[in-house]
Amino acid sequence: MNPVRHDSTTLVIARPDDWHVHLRDGPMLRAVVGFTAKRFARAIVMPNLTPPVLTRADALAYRARIVAALPKDAKFTPLMTCYLTDDADPEEVARGFEEGVFAAVKLYPAHTTTNSAHGVTDLAKVRRVLARMEAIGMPLLLHGEVTDAAVDIFDREAVYIERVLAPMLADFPGLKVVLEHITTAEAADFVVAAGGHRLAATITPHHLTINRNALFHGGLRPHMYCLPVAKRERHRLALRRAAASGHPAFFLGTDTAPHRVGDKEADCGCAGIFNAPAAIELYAQVFEEEGALGKLEAFASFNGPDFYGLPRNRGTSTLVREDWTVPSLVPAESGGAVKPFLAGETLRWRLAS
Ligand code: NCD
Ligand code: ZN
């Protein structure tokens, strides 16, 4: 094990992984994948393409496209996921896991977020798949928001926990679940109360950095919009405490979700924040602000693989305390561009290697 080395200028940690990314496909994939591959050894790749990644063949083909899009010197392993639909075949899902093609299954409640139209309409329809996953130890990754239009958008995660997640955990007591990109104190508390072995949560750098005011700061801010949407300040503070606690049930998942500028700055702007160009740097800044730099390695490099039952990375990453500026735009797709989270702002930790 590499003990964390940190002084006021240098931070050396075991190479981190990102347990939740959207790498997209085609020209967008080629534009963004290098940012993730530079910072992380492995990443759990979300399957919400159009059409979604449903089968082993889909995942193998997508994995090959990701590998082909990597910069030449990259050392990066994509971990693929299967998009759960009402009519998913338990056999296909289980074989994908057993053959090492799928690392996990992603459940989007239908119509919760970007490209979730094929998602699950009713949990009753996927019970056989969940039972099979429970039997073989295959993790279920949840977009934890109810779609009920009667529920206020800021309450949809907390209501999901109560209405859907708690009964699901009781029904499938052996099922390993990751509640993705948590945004509320309720979620953090619920994960801790569950004991840390079969329920975990990823936390994004943006939910540790902004609260919902950022969406309206001086005007409408489409690049601060993602789902689940940022909540009140008290929730951001609870997420910071959870991440910085080093508790094994919390780990790094950026939910970096690039959309072209034109698709964000639109009448109906897409949900998703592109944070890959500054991800580990931002986490380091947050942990430093929390006085918890010594816990960054557990959150970024140990808790994720331990939960998934994968080996921890052997190499190290070095961050240096040196101001640098987040790129203001990343070119993508036939003259288009993607705007990174905190574009043009100065961060205190720079990734050296
Ligand atoms: C993600 C996307 O754009 O694919 N958007 C987002 O706001 N996070 C989907 C998701 O993870 O919800
Ligand atoms: Zn996501």
Side-chain angles (χ1 to χ4, degrees):
M1 201 105 350
N2 296 294
V4 193
R5 183 156 67 75
H6 68 90
D7 49 41
S8 53
T9 55
T10 311
L11 175 59
V12 182
I13 58 171
R15 193 145 183 253
D17 301 303
D18 185 343
W19 300 92
H20 186 130
V21 299
H22 299 270
L23 292 180
R24 311 303 191 206
D25 213 342
M28 181 65 99
L29 164 64
R30 290 191 284 278
V32 302
V33 69
F35 293 101
T36 294
K38 182 176 171 189
R39 288 167 177 78
F40 300 103
R42 298 170 287 196
I44 285 276
V45 181
M46 289 296 129
N48 63 332
L49 303 181
T50 36
V53 177
L54 301 175
T55 63
R56 283 172 294 161
D58 294 341
L60 287 171
Y62 184 29
R63 183 163 73 188
R65 295 197 297 279
I66 294 168
V67 170
L70 285 171
K72 273 196 192 59
D73 53 350
K75 290 194 190 71
F76 173 74
T77 305
L79 303 172
M80 309 311 291
T81 57
C82 166
Y83 184 117
L84 189 59
T85 58
D86 285 350
D87 54 7
D89 173 13
E91 196 52 37
E92 177 69 17
V93 171
R95 283 186 62 182
F97 184 63
E98 284 157 357
E99 291 172 5
V101 178
F102 294 136
V105 165
K106 179 65 191 271
L107 189 163
Y108 293 100
H111 307 293
T112 32
T113 186
T114 307
N115 297 342
S116 62
H118 302 278
V120 174
T121 61
D122 179 357
L123 262 194
K125 300 202 166 147
V126 294
R127 288 191 66 87
R128 286 192 316 123
V129 182
L130 299 186
R132 191 68 193 276
M133 291 168 62
E134 179 181 34
I136 62 176
M138 184 178 193
L140 177 70
L141 316 183
L142 287 179
H143 185 107
E145 290 192 285
V146 291
T147 47
D148 186 344
V151 177
D152 189 278
I153 189 164
F154 294 100
D155 297 333
R156 287 181 190 173
E157 180 175 283
V159 171
Y160 186 88
I161 291 169
E162 200 181 292
R163 278 194 202 165
V164 185
L165 178 57
M168 180 201 287
L169 295 175
D171 271 8
F172 299 95
L175 185 63
K176 277 170 82 165
V177 175
V178 183
L179 188 54
E180 297 288 335
H181 42 52
I182 60 168
T183 60
T184 56
E186 286 87 343
D189 291 346
F190 187 83
V191 168
V192 169
H197 299 297
R198 50 90 51 116
L199 178 65
T202 51
I203 306 180
T204 76
H206 45 281
H207 289 112
L208 293 169
T209 309
I210 59 167
N211 63 31
R212 66 191 196 176
N213 287 346
L215 282 147
F216 310 107
H217 184 72
L220 196 57
R221 300 287 183 170
H223 298 283
M224 296 295 184
Y225 174 56
C226 67
L227 287 170
V229 70
K231 308 295 192 296
R232 287 178 182 276
E233 179 64 357
R234 77 175 177 87
H235 296 291
R236 184 182 77 98
L237 297 177
L239 297 174
R240 283 183 159 236
R241 282 194 298 274
S245 71
H247 190 292
F250 298 111
F251 46 85
L252 187 159
T254 61
D255 194 20
T256 180
H259 292 278
R260 280 173 307 194
V261 169
D263 293 333
K264 296 282 295 172
E265 300 173 7
D267 181 41
C268 183
C270 293
I273 290 180
F274 175 50
N275 59 33
I280 190 65
E281 297 89 333
L282 253 172
Y283 284 113
Q285 185 159 315
V286 167
F287 275 66
E288 180 181 46
E289 286 161 3
E290 291 298 306
L293 270 181
K295 298 279 171 62
L296 179 65
E297 188 177 46
F299 177 79
S301 316
F302 295 161
N303 297 347
D306 292 357
F307 184 83
Y308 274 81
L310 294 169
R312 294 176 178 183
N313 296 316
R314 296 245 197 90
T316 57
S317 290
T318 302
L319 290 136
V320 289
R321 205 174 189 294
E322 196 176 286
D323 284 359
W324 69 286
T325 306
V326 180
S328 46
L329 275 182
V330 168
E333 297 192 54
S334 44
V338 198
K339 192 167 175 180
F341 183 55
L342 304 185
E345 293 195 24
T346 300
L347 297 188
R348 284 195 301 277
W349 288 94
R350 190 175 65 74
L351 182 66
S353 63

mmCIF file of all heavy atoms in Angstrom, residues 3 36 40 44 46 80-81 83 100 112 123 141 145 158 169 171 177 187 194 225 228 238 263 284 292 303 308 311 344:
data_model
loop_
_atom_site.group_PDB
_atom_site.id
_atom_site.type_symbol
_atom_site.label_atom_id
_atom_site.label_comp_id
_atom_site.label_asym_id
_atom_site.label_seq_id
_atom_site.Cartn_x
_atom_site.Cartn_y
_atom_site.Cartn_z
ATOM 1 N N PRO A 3 1.356 4.751 1.320
ATOM 2 C CA PRO A 3 0.789 5.714 2.252
ATOM 3 C C PRO A 3 0.662 7.062 1.550
ATOM 4 O O PRO A 3 1.491 7.393 0.705
ATOM 5 C CB PRO A 3 1.819 5.773 3.379
ATOM 6 C CG PRO A 3 3.071 5.215 2.821
ATOM 7 C CD PRO A 3 2.720 4.363 1.641
ATOM 8 N N THR A 36 -10.433 12.122 -19.087
ATOM 9 C CA THR A 36 -10.673 11.097 -18.066
ATOM 10 C C THR A 36 -9.478 10.145 -17.982
ATOM 11 O O THR A 36 -9.003 9.829 -16.887
ATOM 12 C CB THR A 36 -11.977 10.331 -18.387
ATOM 13 O OG1 THR A 36 -13.074 11.253 -18.256
ATOM 14 C CG2 THR A 36 -12.202 9.161 -17.434
ATOM 15 N N PHE A 40 -7.557 9.147 -14.508
ATOM 16 C CA PHE A 40 -8.061 7.950 -13.834
ATOM 17 C C PHE A 40 -7.567 6.678 -14.531
ATOM 18 O O PHE A 40 -7.445 6.630 -15.753
ATOM 19 C CB PHE A 40 -9.598 7.972 -13.819
ATOM 20 C CG PHE A 40 -10.140 9.182 -13.097
ATOM 21 C CD1 PHE A 40 -10.645 10.271 -13.792
ATOM 22 C CD2 PHE A 40 -10.083 9.251 -11.706
ATOM 23 C CE1 PHE A 40 -11.118 11.405 -13.115
ATOM 24 C CE2 PHE A 40 -10.557 10.369 -11.023
ATOM 25 C CZ PHE A 40 -11.073 11.448 -11.731
ATOM 26 N N ILE A 44 -16.038 3.594 -14.703
ATOM 27 C CA ILE A 44 -17.316 2.949 -15.001
ATOM 28 C C ILE A 44 -18.020 3.823 -16.041
ATOM 29 O O ILE A 44 -18.327 4.993 -15.776
ATOM 30 C CB ILE A 44 -18.179 2.841 -13.715
ATOM 31 C CG1 ILE A 44 -17.638 1.739 -12.800
ATOM 32 C CG2 ILE A 44 -19.635 2.617 -14.046
ATOM 33 C CD1 ILE A 44 -18.119 0.332 -13.123
ATOM 34 N N MET A 46 -20.980 4.907 -18.406
ATOM 35 C CA MET A 46 -22.438 4.838 -18.453
ATOM 36 C C MET A 46 -22.916 4.399 -19.844
ATOM 37 O O MET A 46 -22.290 4.747 -20.858
ATOM 38 C CB MET A 46 -23.027 6.205 -18.089
ATOM 39 C CG MET A 46 -22.847 6.535 -16.636
ATOM 40 S SD MET A 46 -23.776 5.367 -15.595
ATOM 41 C CE MET A 46 -22.490 4.877 -14.452
ATOM 42 N N MET A 80 -17.383 -1.497 -18.414
ATOM 43 C CA MET A 80 -18.639 -1.279 -19.129
ATOM 44 C C MET A 80 -19.862 -1.620 -18.276
ATOM 45 O O MET A 80 -19.807 -2.455 -17.374
ATOM 46 C CB MET A 80 -18.648 -2.125 -20.410
ATOM 47 C CG MET A 80 -17.400 -1.959 -21.267
ATOM 48 S SD MET A 80 -16.936 -0.234 -21.589
ATOM 49 C CE MET A 80 -18.291 0.267 -22.665
ATOM 50 N N THR A 81 -20.967 -0.960 -18.600
ATOM 51 C CA THR A 81 -22.222 -1.208 -17.884
ATOM 52 C C THR A 81 -23.328 -1.531 -18.878
ATOM 53 O O THR A 81 -23.245 -1.201 -20.055
ATOM 54 C CB THR A 81 -22.639 0.014 -17.051
ATOM 55 O OG1 THR A 81 -22.747 1.150 -17.915
ATOM 56 C CG2 THR A 81 -21.627 0.307 -15.954
ATOM 57 N N TYR A 83 -27.368 -1.206 -19.753
ATOM 58 C CA TYR A 83 -28.525 -0.318 -19.533
ATOM 59 C C TYR A 83 -29.752 -1.191 -19.295
ATOM 60 O O TYR A 83 -30.133 -1.991 -20.168
ATOM 61 C CB TYR A 83 -28.667 0.534 -20.783
ATOM 62 C CG TYR A 83 -29.711 1.603 -20.826
ATOM 63 C CD1 TYR A 83 -29.309 2.939 -20.948
ATOM 64 C CD2 TYR A 83 -31.068 1.319 -20.842
ATOM 65 C CE1 TYR A 83 -30.247 3.957 -21.057
ATOM 66 C CE2 TYR A 83 -32.004 2.328 -20.934
ATOM 67 C CZ TYR A 83 -31.587 3.642 -21.051
ATOM 68 O OH TYR A 83 -32.522 4.649 -21.169
ATOM 69 N N GLY A 100 -16.955 -10.984 -17.660
ATOM 70 C CA GLY A 100 -16.108 -9.805 -17.477
ATOM 71 C C GLY A 100 -16.388 -8.690 -18.482
ATOM 72 O O GLY A 100 -15.581 -7.773 -18.629
ATOM 73 N N THR A 112 -36.076 9.911 -16.443
ATOM 74 C CA THR A 112 -35.503 10.749 -15.380
ATOM 75 C C THR A 112 -34.482 11.736 -15.915
ATOM 76 O O THR A 112 -34.345 12.831 -15.393
ATOM 77 C CB THR A 112 -34.715 9.926 -14.329
ATOM 78 O OG1 THR A 112 -34.136 8.804 -14.965
ATOM 79 C CG2 THR A 112 -35.555 9.536 -13.165
ATOM 80 N N LEU A 123 -40.401 -1.274 -11.369
ATOM 81 C CA LEU A 123 -39.420 -2.230 -10.828
ATOM 82 C C LEU A 123 -39.911 -3.670 -10.894
ATOM 83 O O LEU A 123 -39.106 -4.599 -11.022
ATOM 84 C CB LEU A 123 -39.127 -1.893 -9.361
ATOM 85 C CG LEU A 123 -37.886 -1.082 -9.040
ATOM 86 C CD1 LEU A 123 -37.610 -1.177 -7.545
ATOM 87 C CD2 LEU A 123 -36.666 -1.561 -9.828
ATOM 88 N N LEU A 141 -26.376 -0.029 -10.318
ATOM 89 C CA LEU A 141 -26.087 1.401 -10.181
ATOM 90 C C LEU A 141 -27.378 2.165 -10.436
ATOM 91 O O LEU A 141 -28.006 2.008 -11.478
ATOM 92 C CB LEU A 141 -25.019 1.817 -11.202
ATOM 93 C CG LEU A 141 -23.817 0.867 -11.337
ATOM 94 C CD1 LEU A 141 -22.806 1.440 -12.325
ATOM 95 C CD2 LEU A 141 -23.168 0.595 -9.986
ATOM 96 N N GLU A 145 -33.873 8.937 -8.647
ATOM 97 C CA GLU A 145 -34.862 10.014 -8.615
ATOM 98 C C GLU A 145 -36.200 9.461 -9.073
ATOM 99 O O GLU A 145 -36.248 8.724 -10.076
ATOM 100 C CB GLU A 145 -34.481 11.158 -9.552
ATOM 101 C CG GLU A 145 -33.292 11.968 -9.106
ATOM 102 C CD GLU A 145 -33.162 13.246 -9.935
ATOM 103 O OE1 GLU A 145 -32.722 13.146 -11.099
ATOM 104 O OE2 GLU A 145 -33.505 14.317 -9.432
ATOM 105 N N ALA A 158 -34.747 12.362 -2.447
ATOM 106 C CA ALA A 158 -35.168 11.930 -1.097
ATOM 107 C C ALA A 158 -36.414 11.051 -1.179
ATOM 108 O O ALA A 158 -36.527 10.033 -0.465
ATOM 109 C CB ALA A 158 -35.424 13.154 -0.218
ATOM 110 N N LEU A 169 -34.070 -2.593 -1.235
ATOM 111 C CA LEU A 169 -33.014 -3.199 -0.421
ATOM 112 C C LEU A 169 -33.596 -4.284 0.484
ATOM 113 O O LEU A 169 -32.947 -5.304 0.741
ATOM 114 C CB LEU A 169 -32.297 -2.135 0.410
ATOM 115 C CG LEU A 169 -31.507 -1.080 -0.385
ATOM 116 C CD1 LEU A 169 -30.936 -0.018 0.561
ATOM 117 C CD2 LEU A 169 -30.394 -1.711 -1.207
ATOM 118 N N ASP A 171 -36.295 -6.093 -0.255
ATOM 119 C CA ASP A 171 -36.703 -7.201 -1.131
ATOM 120 C C ASP A 171 -35.532 -8.038 -1.600
ATOM 121 O O ASP A 171 -35.674 -9.228 -1.869
ATOM 122 C CB ASP A 171 -37.338 -6.632 -2.404
ATOM 123 C CG ASP A 171 -38.817 -6.437 -2.247
ATOM 124 O OD1 ASP A 171 -39.304 -6.590 -1.119
ATOM 125 O OD2 ASP A 171 -39.470 -6.108 -3.259
ATOM 126 N N VAL A 177 -25.724 -2.343 -4.243
ATOM 127 C CA VAL A 177 -26.307 -1.171 -4.909
ATOM 128 C C VAL A 177 -25.404 0.040 -4.723
ATOM 129 O O VAL A 177 -24.892 0.283 -3.631
ATOM 130 C CB VAL A 177 -27.706 -0.868 -4.307
ATOM 131 C CG1 VAL A 177 -28.282 0.416 -4.901
ATOM 132 C CG2 VAL A 177 -28.664 -2.038 -4.534
ATOM 133 N N ALA A 187 -29.680 11.266 1.453
ATOM 134 C CA ALA A 187 -28.992 10.148 0.789
ATOM 135 C C ALA A 187 -27.739 9.756 1.570
ATOM 136 O O ALA A 187 -27.487 8.571 1.804
ATOM 137 C CB ALA A 187 -28.635 10.527 -0.643
ATOM 138 N N ALA A 194 -27.125 2.224 6.251
ATOM 139 C CA ALA A 194 -27.190 0.880 5.656
ATOM 140 C C ALA A 194 -25.950 0.042 5.993
ATOM 141 O O ALA A 194 -25.919 -1.152 5.704
ATOM 142 C CB ALA A 194 -27.367 0.973 4.146
ATOM 143 N N TYR A 225 -26.347 23.155 -14.768
ATOM 144 C CA TYR A 225 -27.528 22.289 -14.692
ATOM 145 C C TYR A 225 -27.167 20.841 -14.977
ATOM 146 O O TYR A 225 -26.592 20.510 -16.015
ATOM 147 C CB TYR A 225 -28.594 22.756 -15.686
ATOM 148 C CG TYR A 225 -29.780 21.838 -15.771
ATOM 149 C CD1 TYR A 225 -30.518 21.516 -14.628
ATOM 150 C CD2 TYR A 225 -30.163 21.262 -16.980
ATOM 151 C CE1 TYR A 225 -31.600 20.652 -14.700
ATOM 152 C CE2 TYR A 225 -31.248 20.404 -17.073
ATOM 153 C CZ TYR A 225 -31.958 20.102 -15.923
ATOM 154 O OH TYR A 225 -33.022 19.245 -15.985
ATOM 155 N N PRO A 228 -29.056 14.451 -10.814
ATOM 156 C CA PRO A 228 -29.983 15.234 -10.005
ATOM 157 C C PRO A 228 -29.468 16.666 -9.836
ATOM 158 O O PRO A 228 -28.256 16.871 -9.685
ATOM 159 C CB PRO A 228 -29.991 14.505 -8.653
ATOM 160 C CG PRO A 228 -29.425 13.150 -8.914
ATOM 161 C CD PRO A 228 -28.511 13.302 -10.093
ATOM 162 N N ALA A 238 -23.388 18.606 3.757
ATOM 163 C CA ALA A 238 -23.504 17.206 4.199
ATOM 164 C C ALA A 238 -22.711 16.283 3.264
ATOM 165 O O ALA A 238 -22.061 15.328 3.715
ATOM 166 C CB ALA A 238 -24.972 16.786 4.233
ATOM 167 N N ASP A 263 -26.275 22.766 -27.207
ATOM 168 C CA ASP A 263 -27.324 21.931 -26.610
ATOM 169 C C ASP A 263 -27.580 22.300 -25.148
ATOM 170 O O ASP A 263 -28.617 21.961 -24.578
ATOM 171 C CB ASP A 263 -26.939 20.448 -26.698
ATOM 172 C CG ASP A 263 -26.926 19.954 -28.129
ATOM 173 O OD1 ASP A 263 -27.659 20.520 -28.968
ATOM 174 O OD2 ASP A 263 -26.165 19.004 -28.419
ATOM 175 N N ALA A 284 -9.376 17.398 -4.886
ATOM 176 C CA ALA A 284 -8.267 17.727 -3.978
ATOM 177 C C ALA A 284 -8.539 19.062 -3.293
ATOM 178 O O ALA A 284 -8.323 19.217 -2.083
ATOM 179 C CB ALA A 284 -6.945 17.769 -4.750
ATOM 180 N N ALA A 292 -9.082 17.638 5.055
ATOM 181 C CA ALA A 292 -9.122 16.173 4.999
ATOM 182 C C ALA A 292 -8.314 15.619 3.830
ATOM 183 O O ALA A 292 -8.660 14.575 3.279
ATOM 184 C CB ALA A 292 -10.580 15.710 4.901
ATOM 185 N N ASN A 303 -11.915 3.096 -1.855
ATOM 186 C CA ASN A 303 -13.277 2.677 -1.521
ATOM 187 C C ASN A 303 -14.032 2.096 -2.712
ATOM 188 O O ASN A 303 -14.817 1.155 -2.570
ATOM 189 C CB ASN A 303 -14.066 3.845 -0.925
ATOM 190 C CG ASN A 303 -13.461 4.337 0.380
ATOM 191 O OD1 ASN A 303 -12.612 3.667 0.966
ATOM 192 N ND2 ASN A 303 -13.882 5.510 0.842
ATOM 193 N N TYR A 308 -16.452 -2.706 -5.334
ATOM 194 C CA TYR A 308 -16.701 -3.498 -6.546
ATOM 195 C C TYR A 308 -16.002 -4.854 -6.503
ATOM 196 O O TYR A 308 -16.230 -5.699 -7.366
ATOM 197 C CB TYR A 308 -16.231 -2.730 -7.788
ATOM 198 C CG TYR A 308 -17.267 -1.762 -8.365
ATOM 199 C CD1 TYR A 308 -17.465 -0.500 -7.815
ATOM 200 C CD2 TYR A 308 -18.040 -2.117 -9.472
ATOM 201 C CE1 TYR A 308 -18.392 0.391 -8.356
ATOM 202 C CE2 TYR A 308 -18.963 -1.243 -10.018
ATOM 203 C CZ TYR A 308 -19.133 0.012 -9.455
ATOM 204 O OH TYR A 308 -20.050 0.881 -9.986
ATOM 205 N N PRO A 311 -9.200 -5.114 -7.791
ATOM 206 C CA PRO A 311 -7.933 -4.736 -7.136
ATOM 207 C C PRO A 311 -7.741 -3.221 -7.126
ATOM 208 O O PRO A 311 -8.192 -2.528 -8.036
ATOM 209 C CB PRO A 311 -6.864 -5.403 -8.011
ATOM 210 C CG PRO A 311 -7.529 -5.721 -9.301
ATOM 211 C CD PRO A 311 -9.004 -5.868 -9.034
ATOM 212 N N GLY A 344 -12.307 28.570 -17.186
ATOM 213 C CA GLY A 344 -11.590 29.838 -17.023
ATOM 214 C C GLY A 344 -11.263 30.190 -15.574
ATOM 215 O O GLY A 344 -10.603 31.194 -15.315
#
